[in-house]
């Protein structure tokens, strides 16, 4: 399985979203042999997720924007694959990147959706473009079938042309909600309301940073127009306080928020719906980086100007290094790919060559930092979580159990809460409940150590890397 | 009113049948288990091991493991990731997904 | 400046041993403050499996302490029971060859003479106890006195029940002493705590605390990884099951990696797989070779585990002492200083006996304790020997 023929250096790029694609193309164009590993059947990641080929969609662009950028990436990848410079391994779920004693790397993956059989890829360097996933804070009823993440609603629509129901509410906070609402509406779902906890005034306060992004303002205006066209009611500075239903979602109660981020008493109203698409922002996937020993800044992988992590031979780009959207991911991926290519060939990179990408990166990082302070969950969201609300969905740990661990057993940090309640010990390893548990316990959300980025069969683990 | 398939102008191949707990349902080439179940009006397909509560799709991208289901005797597959093939045997599951196995 | 606190005894370290010391000292009538630089169960306790074993101990002082501790755990189980996930499930030690079985049976013979219940299990009966074991194993020994708790829950609940004042997030920076050298309290980064007695329950970091009092105590870290599987139905693995070579690994002095599979189910559903031992300092780097060896050993014992998914692994640092015995009791070099650390991988199991003996030493220093503390003397190591 190990391929170490001499010649061109090998770079493993993990993730075929915008960052990974830009990186793979940039590195392959500069004499590096790239292995691009991705869990999906098609390149694109979450942002450019494509309908399954067998669905034979003639107009996939109807589900997307920035289609031309996608076409460029797709064609660039295809050309490099045809030329033999890039090997694109689809359906590869990477569970561990191992840094070996000789300084090279073994990428350990599981094949196909079943994730039972292993594959290993050997490389001189790795570039982590692992993307992000959605943050969702708990509220009563959020475990009811019919409540899905906003990103999940979009992924099901883009990837399989599927919608869950006929009448949806889109709620939470963040720039993802607008495209999700308009996407569902244009696919025939009645969107009863878009419930955004941020208020219009928060945007006004950040007007300058936001206005520095003319493209983004135009994008917002486009979405605004589409909302109008589909008659989607926008409820700013509102929140979902409860999802109702016996065995599936039947309605939600939404309420207005006051200036301090508390629910205004008496403002609750019930909206019948069979789907609630909810999200509160994004978190980076950092498991592979963390296990390699890469330094994190808060929740994101720390990188230098060349997108290098502090572990030799490991680059990172895109959402893994901080949430900032597809355009920022493209710029970071491009820089990372060029830097890796130069360094793998023993040359010093010339940052002047990627000056345009670096300027884009600076501008977009500032923009998303500004957005981050605009889009925030209601400051007092945790007050809405009742003691019988399940907070850890996998292990069914309630809000009451978490509060008791803090008040009665002395847990003051996320790890101790986990040890004493099992919150975060289940199948998802706390990826979903982490922010909710930390908020309820009144402590910082700290990145968890997850040595396995995905569950791995013990039989596979028992034989992993044995040939070395 | 239009459907997502009309929006994307999709023309998948002919539908095939799979079974959900022995009951036949239709699926299209390219659909995941979750998409086919949604299309059949099914939104939950497992119950939790603590309280026995129903669950279905939540994150839709393989992160949350809420949509676990048994496909062709393999327990705990993620319905949002697994594509369907003609004749697949899908089973709802309870608890750990291994509970009915000795 | 914080106002100083005062109490009868300061227990340093809010892990399992510190919690047990706090509980028994408080129940003996002492006013206790429990202080830790981190949270409850934040060190080795939070990274342990919760083994309460007699099976892996040869006759001698550690086994005597384990038997005493087992009786005390039985009493605590009546009080705490399900809250600490106590299970008197018993252990099964499995031999992989006829020669190994003969050696195991000789080992068990000696344990029986020391008061351990150790029942030889011939080939077929082995599968009545553990139906999913690999076929063709010659036999083993069943130890009904082996039990299990969830260590972090046990530490937290014992701490709460003790009524001790719990001060987490406070680092002890100095041991305060009188002019004639006796202990009079500790200095922390958030104020002084005055007390005529200190219990060093700092586990793997016990050597550092001892050094603050000017006493030499060679506690070294011995790293261990644990693998955790997806949740499974109850009773797939019914006992604590391990291979006979585990006993040799525990007793080994080697710094090199040793792994012998220890497999057990939990009340919560996942199966835990230990146990690796290596002396690599406080290195927290994930090690695929170690975890791979654990997985290989576990799947050899229980072939059905091959298809079961590992969800995570974690690591901890056992407090290892050169002669594999803990330091328990008053330190003759520093009046008022008591040690309760260095239990290596057995600290959860030995915590109750340790706490009980420490409480006896604190409240009735002249009386003969329930167990002879001589083998556990904290000053038994010379600086050169370490």
């Amino acid at each position: 399985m190990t391929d170490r023929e001499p010649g061109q250096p090998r770079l493993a790029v993990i993730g075929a979203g915008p960052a990974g694609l830009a990186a793979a193309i940039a590195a392959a164009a500069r004499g590096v042999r790239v292995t691009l590993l991705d869990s999906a059947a098609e390149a694109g990641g979450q942002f450019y997720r494509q309908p399954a080929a067998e669905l034979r969609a003639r107009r996939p662009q109807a589900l997307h924007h920035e289609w031309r950028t996608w076409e460029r990436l797709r064609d660039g990848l295809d050309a490099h694959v045809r030329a033999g410079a890039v090997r694109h391994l689809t359906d590869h779920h990477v569970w561990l990147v191992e840094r070996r004693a000789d300084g090279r790397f073994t990428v350990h993956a599981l094949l196909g959706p079943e994730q039972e059989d292993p594959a290993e890829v050997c490389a001189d360097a790795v570039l982590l473009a692992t993307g992000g996933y959605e943050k969702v804070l708990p509220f009563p009823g959020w475990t009811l079938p019919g409540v899905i993440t906003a990103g999940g609603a979009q992924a099901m629509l883009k990837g399989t042309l599927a919608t869950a129901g006929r009448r949806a509410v889109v709620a939470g906070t963040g720039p993802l909600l607008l495209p999700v609402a308009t996407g569902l509406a244009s696919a025939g779902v009645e969107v009863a309301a878009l419930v955004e906890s941020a208020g219009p005034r928060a945007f006004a306060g950040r007007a300058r940073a936001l206005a520095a992004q003319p493209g983004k303002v135009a994008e917002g205006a486009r979405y605004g127009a589409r909302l109008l066209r589909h008659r989607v009611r926008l409820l700013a500075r509102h929140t979902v306080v409860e999802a109702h239903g016996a065995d599936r979602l039947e309605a939600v109660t939404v309420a207005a928020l006051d200036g301090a981020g508390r629910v205004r008493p008496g403002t609750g109203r019930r909206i019948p719906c069979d789907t609630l698409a909810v999200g509160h922002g994004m978190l980076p996937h950092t498991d592979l980086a963390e296990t390699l020993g890469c330094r994190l800044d808060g929740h994101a992988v720390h990188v230098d100007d060349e997108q290098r992590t502090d572990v030799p031979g490991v680059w990172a780009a895109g959402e893994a290094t901080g949430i900032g959207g597809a355009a920022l991911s493209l710029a970071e991926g491009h820089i990372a790919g060029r830097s890796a290519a130069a360094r793998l060939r023993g040359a010093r990179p010339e940052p002047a060559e990627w000056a345009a990408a670096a300027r884009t990166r600076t501008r977009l990082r500032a923009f998303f930092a500004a957005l981050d302070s605009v889009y925030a969950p209601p400051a007092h969201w945790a007050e809405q979580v009742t003691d019988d609300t399940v907070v850890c969905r996998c292990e069914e740990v309630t809000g009451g159990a978490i509060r008791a661990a803090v008040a009665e057993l002395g847990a003051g940090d996320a790890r101790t809460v986990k040890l004493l309640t099992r919150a975060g010990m289940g199948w998802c390893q706390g990826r979903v409940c982490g922010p909710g548990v930390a908020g309820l316990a009144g402590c910082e959300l700290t990145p968890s150590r997850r040595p396995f980025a995905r569950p791995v069969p013990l039989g596979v683990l028992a034989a992993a890397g044995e040939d070395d | 009113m239009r459907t997502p398939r009309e929006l994307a102008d999709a023309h998948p191949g002919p539908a095939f049948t799979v079974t959900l707990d022995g009951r036949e349902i239709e699926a299209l080439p390219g659909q995941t288990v979750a998409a086919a179940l949604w299309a059949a009006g099914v939104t939950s397909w497992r119950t939790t091991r603590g309280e026995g509560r129903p669950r279905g799709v939540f994150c839709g991208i393989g992160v949350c493991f809420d949509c676990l289901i048994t496909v062709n005797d393999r327990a705990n597959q993620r319905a949002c990731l697994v594509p369907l093939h003609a004749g697949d045997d899908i089973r709802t599951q309870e608890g750990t997904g291994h509970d009915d196995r000795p | 400046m914080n106002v100083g606190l005062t109490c009868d005894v300061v227990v340093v370290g809010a892990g399992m041993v510190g919690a047990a010391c706090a509980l028994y000292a408080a129940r003996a009538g002492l006013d206790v403050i429990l202080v830790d630089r981190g949270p409850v169960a934040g060190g080795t306790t939070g990274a342990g499996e919760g083994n309460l074993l007699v099976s892996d101990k040869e006759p001698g002082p550690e086994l005597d302490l384990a038997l005493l501790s087992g009786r005390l755990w039985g009493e605590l189980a009546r009080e705490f029971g399900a809250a600490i996930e106590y299970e008197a499930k018993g252990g099964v030690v499995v031999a992989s060859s006829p020669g190994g079985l003969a050696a195991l049976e000789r080992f068990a013979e000696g344990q029986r003479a020391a008061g351990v219940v150790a029942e030889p299990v011939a080939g077929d009966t082995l599968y009545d106890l553990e139906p999913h074991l690999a076929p063709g194993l010659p036999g083993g020994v069943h130890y009904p006195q082996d039990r299990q708790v969830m260590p972090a829950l046990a530490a937290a609940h014992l701490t709460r029940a003790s009524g001790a004042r719990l001060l987490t997030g406070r680092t002890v920076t100095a041991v305060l002493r009188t002019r004639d050298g006796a202990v009079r309290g500790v200095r922390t980064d958030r104020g002084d705590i005055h007390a005529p007695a200190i219990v060093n329950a700092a586990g793997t970091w016990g050597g550092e605390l001892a050094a603050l009092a000017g006493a030499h105590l060679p506690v070294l870290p011995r790293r261990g990884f644990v693998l955790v599987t997806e949740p499974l139905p109850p009773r797939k693995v019914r006992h604590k099951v391990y291979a006979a070579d585990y006993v040799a690994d525990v007793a080994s002095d080697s710094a090199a990696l040793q792994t012998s599979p220890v497999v057990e189910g939990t009340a919560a559903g996942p199966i835990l797989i230990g146990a690796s031992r290596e002396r690599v300092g406080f290195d927290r780097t994930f090690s695929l070779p170690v975890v791979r060896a654990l997985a290989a050993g576990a799947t050899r014992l229980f072939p059905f585990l091959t298809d079961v998914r590992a969800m995570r692994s974690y690591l901890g640092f056992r407090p290892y002492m050169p002669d594999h015995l803990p330091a328990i009791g008053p330190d003759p070099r520093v009046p008022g200083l008591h040690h309760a650390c260095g239990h290596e991988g057995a600290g959860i199991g030995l915590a109750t006996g340790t706490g009980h003996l420490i409480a006896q030493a604190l409240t009735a220093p002249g009386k003969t304790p329930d167990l002879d503390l001589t083998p556990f003397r904290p000053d038994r190591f010379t600086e050169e020997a370490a």
Side-chain angles (χ1 to χ4, degrees):
Chain A
M1 193 123 272
T2 46
D3 32 18
R4 27 181 113 163
E5 59 206 81
Q8 290 167 302
R10 289 179 173 276
L11 173 69
V13 176
I14 298 164
L21 285 172
I25 290 167
R30 285 160 187 85
V32 170
R33 296 179 68 178
V34 175
T35 305
L36 176 63
L37 300 99
D38 189 69
S39 58
E42 320 261 343
Q46 300 305 338
F47 188 76
Y48 290 118
R49 181 186 280 263
Q50 302 299 311
E54 298 89 335
L55 288 166
R56 295 197 290 212
R58 293 178 190 159
R59 201 172 52 225
Q61 60 268 39
L63 304 160
H64 285 272
H65 54 287
E66 319 264 337
W67 187 254
R68 250 177 248 139
T69 311
W70 161 246
E71 286 179 320
R72 268 203 308 280
L73 287 171
R74 182 194 61 196
D75 297 346
L77 175 67
D78 286 348
H80 285 298
V81 168
R82 274 196 307 275
V86 175
R87 191 160 58 124
H88 178 199
L89 302 179
T90 59
D91 279 317
H92 276 59
H93 298 257
V94 176
W95 57 273
L96 178 76
V97 180
E98 180 191 10
R99 187 159 188 268
R100 304 184 321 200
D102 62 4
R104 303 179 79 221
F105 299 87
T106 304
V107 180
H108 297 268
L110 293 163
L111 296 177
E114 297 86 7
Q115 301 184 35
E116 288 173 347
D117 297 318
E120 291 177 11
V121 169
C122 205
D124 300 294
V126 292
L127 199 156
L128 304 172
T130 45
Y133 60 100
E134 209 165 2
K135 169 170 137 182
V136 186
L137 297 169
F139 52 89
W142 78 311
T143 51
L144 279 171
V147 179
I148 55 180
T149 69
Q154 194 178 45
M156 291 288 289
L157 177 59
K158 284 182 182 177
T160 65
L161 307 178
T163 51
R166 298 176 183 286
R167 193 163 203 266
V169 168
V170 178
T173 188
L176 182 62
L177 300 187
L178 276 167
V180 169
T182 56
L184 288 175
S186 56
V189 177
E190 182 194 349
V191 178
L194 194 168
V195 183
E196 165 62 63
S197 61
R201 211 187 288 161
F203 290 90
R206 285 282 165 180
R208 185 177 301 175
L210 300 176
Q213 293 297 318
K216 292 284 170 190
V217 171
E219 190 182 298
R222 258 196 325 271
Y223 286 130
R226 278 199 225 164
L227 283 181
L228 279 177
R229 196 165 70 234
H230 292 292
R231 291 165 216 260
V232 175
R233 191 164 32 144
L234 173 63
L235 298 173
R237 205 181 292 146
H238 275 65
T239 192
V240 170
V241 292
E242 187 170 359
H244 309 279
D247 283 334
R248 63 150 304 148
L249 181 69
E250 289 160 13
V252 296
T253 295
V254 303
L257 292 161
D258 67 16
R262 277 201 174 81
V263 168
R264 280 182 200 276
T267 61
R269 63 179 118 160
R270 199 174 159 110
I271 306 178
C273 59
D274 55 23
T275 303
L276 171 64
V278 60
H280 298 101
M282 300 273 291
L283 288 167
H285 269 302
T286 56
D287 306 329
L288 296 174
E290 215 277 340
T291 306
L292 275 165
C294 299
R295 179 181 139 200
L296 303 186
D297 283 338
H299 294 282
V301 181
H302 170 85
V303 287
D304 66 8
D305 285 349
E306 288 180 34
Q307 300 292 139
R308 287 182 298 176
T309 72
D310 64 341
V311 172
V314 182
W315 279 256
E319 309 286 41
T321 65
I323 300 304
L328 177 57
S329 296
L330 288 171
E332 292 181 345
H334 179 77
I335 294 168
R338 289 184 82 126
S339 162
R343 298 216 172 253
L344 278 171
R345 285 181 293 108
R348 271 220 1 229
E350 281 296 335
E353 292 173 4
W354 64 64
R359 279 195 300 277
T360 305
R361 181 176 63 181
T362 307
R363 204 178 65 230
L364 288 174
R365 280 183 183 165
F367 174 69
F368 275 89
L371 267 197
D372 229 25
S373 58
V374 171
Y375 290 117
H380 298 281
W381 63 265
E383 293 173 6
Q384 301 302 316
V385 177
T386 54
D387 277 351
D388 60 357
T389 302
V390 166
V391 173
C392 167
R393 302 171 68 96
C394 300
E395 297 298 298
E396 301 175 87
V397 181
T398 62
I402 291 162
R403 290 183 176 120
V406 174
E408 293 163 32
L409 295 177
D413 64 296
R415 180 173 179 267
T416 312
V417 171
K418 171 176 159 179
L419 280 171
L420 298 181
T421 65
R422 299 195 56 75
M425 285 197 187
W427 274 106
C428 89
Q429 289 291 293
R431 289 177 180 89
V432 176
C433 70
V437 171
L440 233 63
C443 55
E444 281 277 299
L445 173 63
T446 46
S448 291
R449 277 168 178 267
R450 299 186 188 103
F452 309 135
R454 338 187 110 71
V456 52
L458 284 164
V460 170
L461 185 55
E466 248 184 353
D467 307 337
D468 294 5
Chain B
M1 194 178 92
R2 73 169 160 187
T3 66
R5 240 183 290 157
E6 288 160 11
L7 176 68
D9 195 16
H11 301 271
F16 53 76
T17 20
V18 298
T19 56
L20 173 65
D21 293 335
R23 171 168 74 92
E24 292 197 341
I25 60 169
E26 274 208 340
L28 291 170
Q31 274 186 330
T32 57
V33 174
L37 291 178
W38 274 9
V42 181
T43 50
S44 66
W45 43 81
R46 87 168 169 105
T47 52
T48 57
R49 73 182 207 276
E51 304 293 322
R53 297 294 297 152
R55 296 284 175 87
V57 169
F58 183 62
C59 83
I61 60 168
V63 171
C64 78
F65 295 80
D66 244 8
C67 65
L68 297 177
I69 196 162
T70 299
V71 182
N72 299 332
D73 281 334
R74 283 196 188 91
N76 294 324
Q77 300 293 303
R78 278 163 280 180
C80 70
L81 296 184
V82 177
L84 277 174
H85 302 96
D88 280 348
D89 168 28
I90 314 168
R91 299 203 168 263
T92 55
Q93 61 175 55
E94 293 174 7
T96 64
H98 303 286
D99 289 7
D100 51 349
R101 281 138 225 262
Chain C
M1 181 69 198
N2 279 328
V3 179
L5 297 162
T6 304
C7 60
D8 295 329
V9 56
V10 183
V11 178
V12 183
M16 187 66 248
V17 173
C21 289
L23 180 78
Y24 288 103
R27 288 190 173 172
L30 299 178
D31 178 19
V32 182
I33 288 179
L34 182 57
V35 61
D36 198 294
R37 63 181 177 182
V40 176
T44 308
T45 296
E49 290 167 280
N51 288 329
L52 318 181
L53 300 188
V54 294
S55 56
D56 64 338
K57 293 170 181 65
E58 60 185 7
E62 196 192 11
L63 180 58
D64 296 339
L65 180 59
L67 289 166
L68 168 66
S69 296
R71 285 194 293 278
L72 294 168
W73 271 117
E75 290 169 14
L76 293 182
R78 284 192 283 280
E79 192 176 338
F80 298 99
I84 60 173
E85 297 181 12
Y86 177 89
E87 284 185 89
K89 54 165 46 174
V92 173
V93 183
V94 178
S96 53
S97 66
L101 182 60
L104 179 61
E105 281 171 350
R106 278 196 302 280
F107 184 72
E109 181 70 50
Q111 290 175 312
R112 270 193 295 276
V116 173
V117 183
E119 299 157 350
V121 187
D124 289 351
T125 4
L126 187 60
Y127 297 94
D128 295 338
L129 290 174
E130 286 295 337
H132 301 289
L133 272 173
L137 292 165
V141 176
H142 178 215
Y143 292 91
Q145 289 159 311
D146 282 357
R147 320 154 214 228
Q148 181 171 319
V149 291
M150 199 297 193
L153 284 173
H157 281 279
L158 263 60
T159 296
R160 180 168 67 153
S162 75
R165 278 173 281 174
L166 172 66
L167 307 176
T168 54
R170 280 202 197 209
T171 305
V172 171
T173 56
V175 171
L176 307 173
R177 298 170 73 179
T178 61
R179 223 172 310 150
D180 53 6
V183 158
R184 61 176 183 86
V186 293
R187 174 149 296 158
T188 78
D189 55 351
R190 289 159 66 193
D192 292 353
I193 305 170
H194 298 286
I198 300 174
V199 176
N200 173 12
T204 313
W205 299 269
E208 293 167 37
L209 186 77
L212 290 179
H216 171 68
L217 193 72
V219 189
L220 295 169
R222 200 177 185 193
R223 186 172 74 174
F225 281 91
V226 176
L227 269 171
V228 187
T229 73
E230 64 181 282
L232 293 177
R235 294 181 59 75
K236 289 288 274 189
V237 176
R238 301 176 178 182
H239 303 81
K240 286 184 174 281
V241 181
Y242 60 88
D245 37 357
Y246 175 77
V247 178
D249 281 359
V250 171
S252 163
D253 291 321
S254 168
L257 168 67
Q258 292 131 24
T259 55
S260 44
V262 179
V263 183
E264 61 198 292
T266 61
I271 285 177
L272 303 183
I273 300 165
S276 65
R277 290 162 194 272
E278 50 185 335
R279 275 168 36 208
V280 290
F282 287 104
D283 183 357
R284 290 196 164 273
T285 315
F286 176 78
S287 167
L288 181 61
V290 176
V291 171
R292 177 173 64 211
L294 290 178
T299 52
R300 270 198 304 275
L301 267 183
F302 288 100
F304 83 89
L305 287 174
T306 305
D307 297 327
V308 169
R309 282 158 203 275
M311 295 205 303
R312 62 197 169 101
S313 82
Y314 56 86
L315 62 85
F317 300 99
R318 303 180 186 88
Y320 163 89
M321 301 198 73
D323 60 359
H324 301 282
L325 289 177
I328 302 173
D331 191 325
R333 300 165 296 187
V334 185
L337 177 63
H338 295 65
H339 296 285
C341 62
H343 297 77
E344 200 170 336
I348 308 302
L350 302 181
T352 47
T354 303
H356 172 78
L357 294 167
I358 288 288
Q360 286 188 328
L362 286 166
T363 51
K367 271 176 64 178
T368 309
D370 285 357
L371 201 66
D372 177 18
L373 292 179
T374 313
F376 307 116
R377 272 173 33 244
D379 59 338
R380 66 188 188 270
F381 303 100
T382 60
E383 304 242 357
E384 295 77 19

